[in-house]
Amino acid sequence: MGKNNAKGAADKKGKGKEKEKAGDSSKDGDKGKGLKPANSINVRHILCEKFSKKEEALEKLRNGGKFDDVAREYSEDKARQGGSLGWKVRGSLDSIFEKAAYDLEPSTTNNPKYVDVKTSFGYHIIMVEGRK
């Protein structure tokens, strides 16, 4: 019985090290990996037809602009309420937009974490407020 306990302890220790290594290696490509799987997201975006306008909006965000304020000023879509699209379930959005949005971690409009992508609709700057 003593051997089994020692072997069990060795197995647990080995598994723990494997998890640490896996955790260390995923830090480089951690985009979305640390997030719990979600079936819906509360998403906002800024849609611009022209690349130059999207770049202006990104510059405002980089300089500390609130996401909803920048969306009201720059977004060219119907989501005039600060770019809010509300809760969207997986599969209900453009595939490029959706992949980028589901890889984002939630943030606030005051301190947004965002990504920009191009779809057939134009240039989007996307942020996610919640996941479930």
Side-chain angles (χ1 to χ4, degrees), residues 44-48 53-74 82 107-116 124-127:
R44 289 180 183 264
H45 79 145
I46 299 167
L47 174 63
C48 300
K53 191 168 181 181
K54 183 232 4 161
E55 288 298 307
E56 284 179 40
L58 279 172
E59 190 61 31
K60 285 240 180 183
L61 290 171
R62 287 185 196 113
N63 290 328
K66 289 178 63 178
F67 194 93
D68 51 342
D69 291 342
V70 176
R72 282 186 196 96
E73 184 177 347
Y74 286 91
S107 60
T108 63
T109 57
N110 290 335
N111 190 17
K113 294 180 182 179
Y114 50 85
V115 66
D116 63 301
H124 304 265
I125 305 168
I126 306 165
M127 73 158 285

Side-chain angles (χ1 to χ4, degrees), residues 55-113:
E55 288 298 307
E56 284 179 40
L58 279 172
E59 190 61 31
K60 285 240 180 183
L61 290 171
R62 287 185 196 113
N63 290 328
K66 289 178 63 178
F67 194 93
D68 51 342
D69 291 342
V70 176
R72 282 186 196 96
E73 184 177 347
Y74 286 91
S75 192
E76 298 169 358
D77 74 339
K78 297 174 188 169
R80 291 283 175 210
Q81 299 157 336
S84 178
L85 296 176
W87 286 96
K88 296 293 181 185
V89 296
R90 204 177 277 275
S92 67
L93 298 164
D94 176 271
S95 61
I96 296 167
F97 183 105
E98 186 170 285
K99 172 149 180 30
Y102 273 89
D103 284 348
L104 273 173
E105 67 180 89
S107 60
T108 63
T109 57
N110 290 335
N111 190 17
K113 294 180 182 179

Side-chain angles (χ1 to χ4, degrees), residues 4 11 26 48 57 68 71 127 129:
N4 287 341
D11 286 347
S26 69
C48 300
D68 51 342
M127 73 158 285
E129 289 186 287

